[in-house]
Amino acid sequence: KNEVEQSPQNLTAQEGEFITINCSYSVGISALHWLQQHPGGGIVSLFMLSSGKKKHGRLIATINIQEKHSSLHITASHPRDSAVYICAVRADNQFYFGTGTSLTVIP
Amino acid sequence: EPEVTQTPSHQVTQMGQEVILRCVPISNHLYFYWYRQILGQKVEFLVSFYNNEISEKSEIFDDQFSVERPDGSNFTLKIRSTKLEDSAMYFCASRRSFTEAFFGQGTRLTVV
């Protein structure tokens, strides 16, 4: 079983701040996903990573396979970024989810 | 942009009743998943499905649960005799072999 830990659990930031959310997992994986869950509950896939770094707009995701660690960065944060960000790892065709990081960006 | 569609968005059912949650995955996707999220808790894996059979399932996915892909487009989750603790948001997801998983918007199941 893969243990997925995220930090911090809750994060409040001022608009414009640079934000980092961290994810660690315990065993080898095929891929790691960063997901965004809005208050209504719907889930959006932001990134899938198996190595290196990906960038999409103001979002950057990195993964270090050796250290079993990934980070999600948000540059120039905006109130519309307020959501729960979830790290999920895929191993053996199962997904294991972190508990999520609740981000609130204040104008 | 292609998307995973789930229906209904909200279902209320009496305890002991059977429910079927429906999902239409993205058409060229090969792997299909069901997850659930009990209010205030983290998302939990239920089952994965590939090549018309279950490939993995969690301890949650007991004999009360079943999945089907009846017509090549729909992917359904059936709960045979619902319990109060089955109340949760149920998410369907699909992917091709080396791509991101795409999630549906979820079905909120309330068992009363």
Side-chain angles (χ1 to χ4, degrees), chain A residues 11-25:
Chain A
L11 182 55
T12 301
Q14 290 286 335
E15 183 173 355
E17 280 186 18
F18 180 83
I19 286 160
T20 296
I21 300 170
N22 296 298
C23 175
S24 298
Y25 52 93

Side-chain angles (χ1 to χ4, degrees), chain A residues 39-81:
Chain A
I43 293 177
V44 174
S45 179
L46 299 175
F47 293 105
M48 184 193 76
L49 296 163
S50 50
S51 64
K53 176 178 172 178
K54 284 190 177 178
K55 184 176 190 293
H56 183 68
R58 294 180 294 106
L59 302 178
I60 303 166
T62 63
I63 188 168
N64 185 319
I65 298 293
Q66 287 74 32
E67 294 187 5
K68 297 186 173 61
H69 180 268
S70 175
S71 294
L72 176 69
H73 305 284
I74 305 175
T75 61
S77 58
H78 190 276
R80 66 174 172 266
D81 297 326

Side-chain angles (χ1 to χ4, degrees), chain B residues 22-41:
Chain B
R22 300 180 194 281
C23 170
V24 180
I26 293 172
S27 63
N28 61 353
H29 283 191
L30 303 173
Y31 297 83
F32 312 106
Y33 303 86
W34 281 103
Y35 307 91
R36 76 172 186 192
Q37 186 177 33
I38 295 170
L39 189 64
Q41 298 185 21

Side-chain angles (χ1 to χ4, degrees), chain B residues 16-100:
Chain B
Q17 294 294 305
E18 174 184 285
V19 293
I20 298 176
L21 308 182
R22 300 180 194 281
C23 170
V24 180
I26 293 172
S27 63
N28 61 353
H29 283 191
L30 303 173
Y31 297 83
F32 312 106
Y33 303 86
W34 281 103
Y35 307 91
R36 76 172 186 192
Q37 186 177 33
I38 295 170
L39 189 64
Q41 298 185 21
K42 68 177 183 180
V43 180
E44 300 171 291
F45 168 79
L46 292 177
V47 66
S48 59
F49 193 86
Y50 171 72
N51 202 26
N52 286 318
E53 60 183 22
I54 291 173
S55 47
E56 297 284 345
K57 58 183 181 178
S58 71
E59 310 85 52
I60 303 166
F61 194 89
D62 62 20
D63 293 344
Q64 291 298 311
F65 291 87
S66 61
V67 289
E68 255 193 337
R69 193 155 153 78
D71 55 12
S73 61
N74 290 286
F75 180 50
T76 61
L77 175 70
K78 184 194 290 187
I79 309 174
R80 254 179 277 283
S81 176
T82 49
K83 303 187 281 278
L84 294 176
E85 53 266 36
D86 294 325
S87 296
M89 185 77 111
Y90 287 81
F91 293 101
C92 169
S94 70
R95 65 178 179 93
R96 279 187 67 80
S97 72
F98 296 112
T99 64
E100 299 173 45

